[in-house]
């Protein structure tokens, strides 16, 4: 797609994240594009599994979840917090990934949104310690999915931890790792609550050529007890527009590329 077409498709997704559905008539009015151009955008977005086309328009694709997870209240409550922001972050992060890459996804609600944006992609290898992410991607023919193994200790986290998880990561090299956090701060770095989980995330970061932290604005400036990596070890932060310019500038000053969506 051309950059103009790609930009229009991203704007369509942002509109759907706000309103859930739209019409071709509305989109042609907003973008000044022909109905045929808008329909082509919607076809491409549908092929990526992001929207469902309807008669005369489109709606946001239902976020499919492996059925047992629908009854885990703790995960669903966390997933619902800042949901539109997490969806935008997930789509932006997915846009960085190129065909043929091996990527790491840590457990987390934002990384789960990213995983859902990859369901229609091809020739990607996914390494994750998140049981729910592996299950959601297991039926995607174009993806190779590898679970780390390990112990699942906390209800609603779906996060595999322990020596088995860490040892399994020594055998892979990742092009990029996308890390979900409980807090990310320009001084203290990326942090989470549990030291055992931080150790797995840290091992994943150590095997990656690029470390990308995905965090909605409620996490930025927050510090949790367990360090995943220092801010200087982060290559990129993807967040939403709820972060102050001053805080974003602090990350930029230490060499972290910031993408705001």
């Amino acid at each position: 797609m051309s950059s103009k077409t790609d930009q229009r498709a991203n704007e369509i997704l942002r509109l759907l994240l706000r309103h859930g559905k739209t019409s071709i008539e509305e989109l042609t009015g907003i973008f000044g594009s022909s109905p045929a151009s808008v329909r082509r955008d919607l076809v491409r977005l549908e092929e990526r599994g992001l929207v469902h086309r309807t008669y005369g328009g489109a709606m946001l694709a239902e976020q499919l979840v492996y059925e047992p997870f629908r009854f885990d209240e703790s995960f669903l409550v966390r997933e619902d917090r800042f949901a539109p922001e997490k969806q935008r972050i997930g789509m932006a992060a997915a846009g960085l990934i190129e065909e043929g890459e091996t990527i790491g996804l840590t457990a987390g609600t934002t990384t789960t949104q990213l995983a859902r944006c990859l369901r229609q992609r091809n020739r990607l290898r996914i390494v994750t310690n998140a049981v729910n992410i592996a299950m959601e991607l297991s039926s995607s023919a174009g993806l190779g999915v590898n679970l780390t193994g390990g112990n699942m200790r906390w209800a609603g986290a779906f996060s595999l931890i322990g020596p088995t998880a860490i040892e399994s990561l020594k055998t892979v090299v990742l092009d990029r790792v996308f890390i979900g956090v409980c807090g990310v701060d320009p001084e203290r770095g990326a942090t989470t609550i549990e030291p055992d989980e931080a150790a797995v995330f840290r091992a994943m970061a150590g095997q990656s050529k690029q470390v990308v932290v995905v965090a909605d604005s409620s996490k930025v400036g927050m510090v949790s007890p367990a360090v995943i990596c220092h801010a200087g070890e982060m290559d990129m932060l993807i967040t939403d527009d709820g972060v102050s310019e001053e805080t974003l500038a602090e990350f930029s000053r230490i060499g972290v590329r910031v993408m705001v969506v």
Side-chain angles (χ1 to χ4, degrees):
M1 287 191 294
S2 69
S3 58
K4 183 177 180 180
T5 301
D6 192 52
Q7 182 179 2
R8 189 170 62 227
N10 287 334
E11 290 299 325
I12 291 172
L13 282 172
R14 290 191 180 96
L15 188 150
L16 287 170
L17 286 168
R18 290 194 298 271
H19 303 293
K21 60 182 179 179
T22 186
S23 67
I24 290 174
E25 181 180 4
E26 180 182 21
L27 295 175
T28 55
I30 292 172
F31 299 111
S33 303
S34 69
S37 295
V38 170
R39 287 191 187 93
R40 284 194 293 270
D41 291 337
L42 295 177
V43 168
R44 294 186 186 101
L45 290 170
E46 187 174 53
E47 288 173 347
R48 292 167 59 189
L50 300 175
V51 308
H52 289 312
R53 286 187 296 152
T54 60
Y55 181 77
M59 61 188 294
L60 196 66
E62 178 187 1
Q63 298 300 326
L64 301 176
V65 182
Y66 179 57
E67 190 65 26
F69 302 156
R70 293 188 184 277
F71 303 101
D72 193 296
E73 184 178 0
S74 61
F75 182 80
L76 295 178
V77 168
R78 289 187 294 113
E79 188 176 42
D80 195 50
R81 296 186 189 126
F82 291 84
E85 290 82 1
K86 291 174 181 178
Q87 289 170 331
R88 295 203 305 271
I89 292 166
M91 286 187 289
L96 300 175
I97 299 169
E98 299 178 2
E99 191 171 290
E101 288 190 346
T102 298
I103 66 165
L105 297 176
T106 70
T109 53
T110 307
T111 48
T112 296
Q113 291 295 339
L114 165 54
R116 290 170 179 164
C117 295
L118 302 177
R119 288 181 300 202
Q120 305 300 317
R121 297 285 295 272
N122 292 301
R123 294 191 61 243
L124 295 178
R125 182 186 180 197
I126 313 296
V127 178
T128 184
N129 77 314
V131 173
N132 68 309
I133 287 176
M135 290 301 303
E136 291 203 33
L137 297 181
S138 62
S139 62
S140 298
L143 306 178
V145 182
N146 298 83
L147 265 172
T148 60
N151 304 317
M152 190 163 55
R153 183 179 300 169
W154 308 290
F158 309 117
S159 184
L160 295 172
I161 61 165
T164 301
I166 293 172
E167 189 67 25
S168 70
L169 290 167
K170 294 179 182 179
T171 65
V172 299
V173 176
L174 306 173
D175 292 294
R176 312 170 201 269
V177 63
F178 295 89
I179 298 178
V181 298
C182 294
V184 58
D185 178 79
E187 181 178 353
R188 299 295 185 180
T191 55
T192 192
I193 294 173
E194 299 290 346
D196 287 344
E197 186 173 57
V200 177
F201 290 11
R202 189 162 54 247
M204 203 175 290
Q207 296 298 108
S208 184
K209 300 173 187 176
Q210 184 185 50
V211 176
V212 183
V213 171
V214 289
D216 68 74
S217 54
S218 71
K219 311 286 181 62
V220 179
M222 302 296 290
V223 178
S224 289
V227 175
I228 299 167
C229 63
H230 298 294
E233 299 172 301
M234 294 165 45
D235 295 295
M236 190 172 184
L237 168 65
I238 307 178
T239 188
D240 61 76
D241 57 8
V243 184
S244 71
E245 291 294 331
E246 180 182 357
T247 300
L248 296 176
E250 290 182 36
F251 282 104
S252 297
R253 275 196 294 272
I254 58 176
V256 179
R257 179 187 169 195
V258 178
M259 179 185 293
V260 177
V261 297

